[in-house]
Amino acid sequence: MRNQAFVLVCIVVFGVVGTCHGGGLKKNYYADKCRDAEEIIKNATEQRGCDASILLNSTANNTAEKDAVPNQTLSRFDAIDDIKAEVEKKCPNVVSCADVLALAARDAVSFKFQRPLWEVLTGRRDGTVSQISEVLANIPSPSSNFTTLVRNFANHSLNVRDLVVLSGAHTIGVGHCNAFSNRLYNFTGKGDQDPSLNATYAAFLKTQCQSLSDNTTFVPMDPISVLAFDSNYYVTLKQNRGLFQSDAALLTNNGSSNIVNQLLNQNKFFAEFARSIKKMGAIGVLTGNAGEIRKKCFVVN
Ligand code: HEM
Ligand SMILES: *[C@@H]1O[C@H](CO)[C@@H](O)[C@H](O)[C@H]1NC(C)=O
Ligand SMILES: *[C@@H]1O[C@H](CO)[C@@H](O)[C@H](O)[C@H]1NC(C)=O
Ligand SMILES: *[C@@H]1O[C@H](CO)[C@@H](O)[C@H](O)[C@H]1NC(C)=O
Ligand SMILES: *[C@@H]1O[C@H](CO)[C@@H](O)[C@H](O)[C@H]1NC(C)=O
Ligand SMILES: *[C@@H]1O[C@H](CO)[C@@H](O)[C@H](O)[C@H]1NC(C)=O
Ligand SMILES: *[C@@H]1O[C@H](CO)[C@@H](O)[C@H](O)[C@H]1NC(C)=O
Ligand SMILES: *[C@@H]1O[C@H](CO)[C@@H](O)[C@H](O)[C@H]1NC(C)=O
Ligand SMILES: *[C@@H]1O[C@H](CO)[C@@H](O)[C@H](O)[C@H]1NC(C)=O
Ligand SMILES: *[C@@H]1O[C@H](CO)[C@@H](O)[C@H](O)[C@H]1NC(C)=O
Ligand SMILES: *[C@@H]1O[C@H](CO)[C@@H](O)[C@H](O)[C@H]1NC(C)=O
């Protein structure tokens, strides 16, 4: 649940649809519209990822975004629908799926800490379209190099520091073999291995991912502490055990590598993550009268 919600945030950022008004979000937007909204979401999240277009189901003419990303990651959508249903019971047609997603991701990660790890501004509205092309155009590939990552983030008004900080989300969750096994078996098309990948770790990964075509096996992205939201992602990176090329890329630039060193400090990581994810959560949001409040997150009204 924690991982899933987080990925949704990840996708929400890069899969943003529509106009970029940016502002318009505020703290506790629902205070006078649905007083308990945030608490209902928190409670529901504890019990069981911007607009929420990824939640739309595919239709015959429109392969929805949720089918564009690795199955396993997003097939557990029901959790978000359940949380939304809880909110609908109390305040029908008031709280957007995009806000439910943003709050649930925060609450899922924060649960263990018994305090919210970052502030989530609300007032997002949901998009009315959901297209696979938008995801594919916006989500960076795990084989991206530093230059491409920086450009991609810059396209969303995120800087190098945000890139390094937000990549720290890979402290939780898993990656499927097909997202990185080129690094093990065919890095430059000559049956070779990525020299920047820790050789000992590569040998281990080969025992897990036995071929280039394996798309079902997955491994932790942060093997030091896969389930914990902490700064061990950066420790893993410095051991040259970053799973994706996009992770390893953060060490290929001096400025970026210097930021990695700073984020080994967990308090610093938490503080910076709170800042960057808030920034990310304001990108391309629909507010005011734009879009709609979806009744069910997986289908437009
Ligand atoms: C820097 C560019 C990024 C790239 C190239 C990238 C790529 C990926 C890939 C390929 C996966 C594995 C999916 C799978 O194989 O199942 C993944 C998982 C994940 N990503 Fe990212 N990501 C990026 C940034 C982010 C950001 C900004 C966040 C959140 C702030 C994030 C959060 C996650 C989480 C939590 C998972 C684990 C999913 C799970 O365990 O089911 N990622 N990412
Ligand atoms: C949330 O859960 C707490 C603890 O179980 C409970 O006291 C509170 O009434 C719940 N809030 C809502 C809005 O359901
Ligand atoms: C959407 O997908 C969910 C499962 O992900 C399914 O239960 C639901 O019936 C689908 N809704 C529509 C309108 O196709
Ligand atoms: C697909 O598009 C055609 C033509 O635009 C339309 O007639 C049909 O109803 C659409 N089907 C679905 C399932 O949306
Ligand atoms: C992908 O989803 C389909 C249908 O939900 C399921 O049968 C299949 O096992 C899933 N594949 C993976 C790798 O999770
Ligand atoms: C980074 O990747 C892009 C796109 O694949 C490529 O055009 C560029 O040459 C690469 N840059 C470096 C420094 O390898
Ligand atoms: C950045 O946006 C421009 C214009 O939309 C696009 O052509 C380019 O491919 C994007 N770059 C990346 C790395 O996403
Ligand atoms: C490795 O890559 C090369 C060049 O893309 C390709 O011709 C070859 O078939 C690949 N090897 C395997 C085992 O897929
Ligand atoms: C995994 O690979 C198999 C065989 O190449 C293919 O049929 C299947 O659709 C793939 N599944 C995913 C989730 O990409
Ligand atoms: C490779 O990873 C191991 C931990 O598994 C670590 O002790 C070692 O220092 C790493 N080697 C390099 C070159 O980063
Ligand atoms: C990066 O840092 C190293 C060592 O600090 C230095 O030797 C190198 O010239 C720097 N590279 C760039 C591009 O600044």
Side-chain angles (χ1 to χ4, degrees):
M1 172 59 218
R2 181 171 45 241
N3 304 351
Q4 180 193 9
F6 223 157
V7 144
L8 294 178
V9 167
C10 169
I11 302 222
V12 157
V13 179
F14 296 107
V16 191
V17 182
T19 47
C20 284
H21 295 297
L25 299 179
K26 54 189 263 192
K27 196 169 174 173
N28 213 356
Y29 172 82
Y30 296 108
D32 56 347
K33 301 172 186 65
C34 179
R35 196 165 43 86
D36 294 333
E38 296 203 9
E39 193 174 317
I40 295 170
I41 292 166
K42 176 164 169 286
N43 280 4
T45 303
E46 290 177 359
Q47 287 159 20
R48 323 214 213 280
C50 248
D51 74 48
S53 295
I54 38 160
L55 299 179
L56 293 171
N57 286 8
S58 292
T59 66
N61 290 342
N62 178 15
T63 305
E65 292 165 21
K66 77 176 186 181
D67 294 338
V69 293
N71 227 6
Q72 200 114 11
T73 304
L74 289 177
S75 60
R76 294 161 278 163
F77 262 89
D78 304 0
I80 292 296
D81 280 339
D82 290 348
I83 297 167
K84 170 69 167 167
E86 287 298 314
V87 185
E88 287 297 293
K89 270 191 220 163
K90 186 74 174 283
C91 320
N93 307 315
V94 171
V95 182
S96 70
C97 288
D99 280 342
V100 169
L101 230 42
L103 289 162
R106 187 270 309 272
D107 293 341
V109 172
S110 303
F111 180 58
K112 271 192 201 159
F113 297 86
Q114 295 291 306
R115 66 180 170 91
L117 287 194
W118 60 87
E119 180 177 83
V120 174
L121 302 182
T122 44
R124 294 172 190 77
R125 292 173 58 91
D126 297 320
T128 51
V129 289
S130 170
Q131 286 194 329
I132 195 168
S133 54
E134 284 163 344
V135 172
L136 297 179
N138 283 295
I139 295 192
S141 146
S143 65
S144 302
N145 60 31
F146 184 74
T147 315
T148 302
L149 289 170
V150 170
R151 289 211 183 114
N152 193 300
F153 272 62
N155 272 358
H156 299 93
S157 324
L158 296 169
N159 58 31
V160 172
R161 196 159 194 102
D162 297 317
L163 166 64
V164 181
V165 168
L166 291 170
S167 292
H170 287 177
T171 180
I172 50 175
V174 300
H176 285 74
C177 291
N178 52 315
F180 60 86
S181 51
N182 66 311
R183 304 184 75 195
L184 306 175
Y185 294 114
N186 208 2
F187 189 57
T188 66
K190 295 177 184 149
D192 52 341
Q193 191 168 300
D194 182 347
S196 75
L197 179 62
N198 186 314
T200 313
Y201 191 51
F204 164 74
L205 290 174
K206 282 175 161 172
T207 68
Q208 306 298 300
C209 306
Q210 301 202 0
S211 80
L212 272 170
S213 58
D214 180 350
N215 61 6
T216 54
T217 311
F218 52 86
V219 300
M221 292 190 285
D222 169 16
I224 298 175
S225 54
V226 56
L227 293 175
F229 190 79
D230 56 28
S231 61
N232 278 333
Y233 167 78
Y234 302 102
V235 178
T236 298
L237 268 192
K238 302 253 316 166
Q239 294 173 337
N240 299 302
R241 298 198 293 164
L243 193 57
F244 306 132
Q245 282 162 263
S246 62
D247 297 315
L250 304 180
L251 299 176
T252 63
N253 171 274
N254 277 1
S256 162
S257 170
N258 182 41
I259 299 170
V260 167
N261 288 335
Q262 295 170 29
L263 296 174
L264 291 165
N265 176 329
Q266 185 151 296
N267 288 335
K268 186 154 182 68
F269 170 57
F270 282 6
E272 297 224 12
F273 193 83
R275 190 187 55 84
S276 288
I277 200 157
K278 193 169 167 185
K279 195 169 162 186
M280 179 168 114
I283 299 165
V285 296
L286 302 173
T287 55
N289 294 318
E292 63 182 17
I293 301 296
R294 250 178 234 169
K295 187 80 191 160
K296 290 188 172 167
C297 293
F298 51 77
V299 62
V300 287
N301 294 342

